[in-house]
Amino acid sequence: MGRKGTMMEKQINSKYLNEIMTLKIYQPESFSPLYKYHICIMQDGNDYYQMGRIATLSDRLHDSEDMTNTIFVGIHYQNKYDRREKYHPSGEQNESYTKFLVNEIVPFLDDLLPTYHMGQSRTLMGDSLAGTLAFMTALRYPHTFGNVIMQSPYVDETVLQAAAQAKQLDAIDIYHTIGTEETAVDTTDGQRMDFVTPNRELHKTLHNMGTSYTYHELEAGEHTWKYWQKDMKRVLVTMFD
């Protein structure tokens, strides 16, 4: 079955990353410049389109009116090492990548698309390290990105500390999942890591801070797209209803 919406590719020559970054932008079938749109920016963009089936779900949920007018924007990485440098809290390009999102991507999209120009209508979505990046960026720029979707994020001391010290968590709406089987996840630097324990700690912190927060543990869920994809409809209906 073909897609109903429209996929566009745009490029930004990022001065922060010294790299040409490609955006894949998916507009719903009913797109009109007369409406305003929520924007969902996805790191691991190609994975969300291919394995997360975001375009198909967007078509279906816009048709059934289970989701508000939303445009998806996918940004991808070159390889797993590039991904780690950009998304990991201590990655070499993490600071530059964050500035690229805030100072280049947001103005570019606000200029290109009929958006609300408000943090509450911008979402950062990511899985694993990309989820970590979404969370850490919104903590620092809560008025730019008002919503976070993090599926099985990588959580370390830096992340837990940032959450505990966040000043404006109440400005952010968060969706957070972890699979109960994510106890030995292979990381890019060749380690095996328990994702469940630190994610539960993060949950405790966020739950106690009284922010708008949705948390699910995926039963028997592993650190793979099979489980993130299964949860995707609930993600979109919860965050974009």
Side-chain angles (χ1 to χ4, degrees):
M1 197 179 92
R3 291 177 175 154
K4 294 181 168 183
T6 312
M7 185 76 83
M8 292 192 292
E9 274 201 18
K10 296 282 179 192
Q11 291 188 322
I12 293 185
N13 192 349
S14 169
K15 67 169 199 255
Y16 294 102
L17 296 168
N18 295 318
E19 192 182 326
I20 293 172
M21 301 294 287
T22 301
L23 312 188
K24 290 186 179 167
I25 301 171
Y26 192 71
Q27 299 175 341
E29 185 183 20
S30 59
F31 176 81
S32 157
L34 302 175
Y35 302 142
K36 288 209 186 312
Y37 290 83
H38 285 253
I39 303 285
C40 181
I41 301 170
M42 313 177 290
Q43 316 325 307
D44 286 358
N46 295 356
D47 298 339
Y48 270 99
Y49 284 127
Q50 285 158 17
M51 294 179 281
R53 305 190 195 130
I54 278 292
T56 308
L57 274 169
S58 171
D59 288 348
R60 200 181 302 154
L61 297 172
H62 276 96
D63 272 358
S64 62
E65 296 184 1
D66 283 314
M67 92 185 268
T68 191
N69 286 339
T70 304
I71 293 170
F72 290 90
V73 179
I75 309 169
H76 210 55
Y77 50 89
Q78 297 171 32
N79 54 47
K80 64 182 185 177
Y81 304 105
D82 174 63
R83 179 178 183 266
R84 186 182 165 84
E85 279 201 358
K86 288 182 168 124
Y87 299 173
H88 194 287
S90 55
E92 267 176 40
Q93 282 196 301
N94 182 265
E95 184 63 30
S96 309
Y97 192 83
T98 304
K99 286 182 172 153
F100 155 72
L101 283 178
V102 174
N103 300 324
E104 293 180 319
I105 289 287
V106 166
F108 179 84
L109 294 174
D110 279 351
D111 204 38
L112 178 73
L113 301 164
T115 64
Y116 287 96
H117 294 255
M118 281 173 3
Q120 290 151 309
S121 60
R122 291 191 204 102
T123 300
L124 289 175
M125 173 153 78
D127 62 286
S128 199
L129 265 185
T132 313
L133 178 96
F135 179 63
M136 296 293 277
T137 305
L139 283 190
R140 282 179 65 186
Y141 298 97
H143 300 298
T144 306
F145 302 107
N147 310 289
V148 170
I149 295 163
M150 47 178 178
Q151 299 180 282
S152 307
Y154 164 85
V155 177
D156 61 11
E157 273 312 310
T158 309
V159 176
L160 289 169
Q161 216 173 339
Q165 293 169 354
K167 297 278 181 281
Q168 296 176 298
L169 253 186
D170 55 348
I172 313 170
D173 195 350
I174 299 169
Y175 186 101
H176 176 198
T177 59
I178 185 69
T180 55
E181 297 299 306
E182 296 190 51
T183 49
V185 176
D186 292 317
T187 57
T188 315
D189 55 0
Q191 297 183 38
R192 301 204 97 172
M193 207 182 127
D194 169 19
F195 269 50
V196 179
T197 308
N199 266 277
R200 283 181 176 153
E201 272 185 57
L202 180 60
H203 160 63
K204 216 182 296 176
T205 302
L206 294 174
H207 181 70
N208 291 339
M209 290 179 92
T211 181
S212 170
Y213 177 55
T214 304
Y215 175 76
H216 296 290
E217 292 197 357
L218 309 182
E219 274 314 306
E222 293 171 9
H223 197 78
T224 62
W225 271 100
K226 178 182 169 186
Y227 296 95
W228 299 327
Q229 205 289 320
K230 270 187 191 163
D231 195 49
M232 201 59 70
K233 180 184 173 188
R234 179 169 64 181
V235 169
L236 300 180
V237 171
T238 303
M239 295 302 275
F240 302 105
D241 60 352

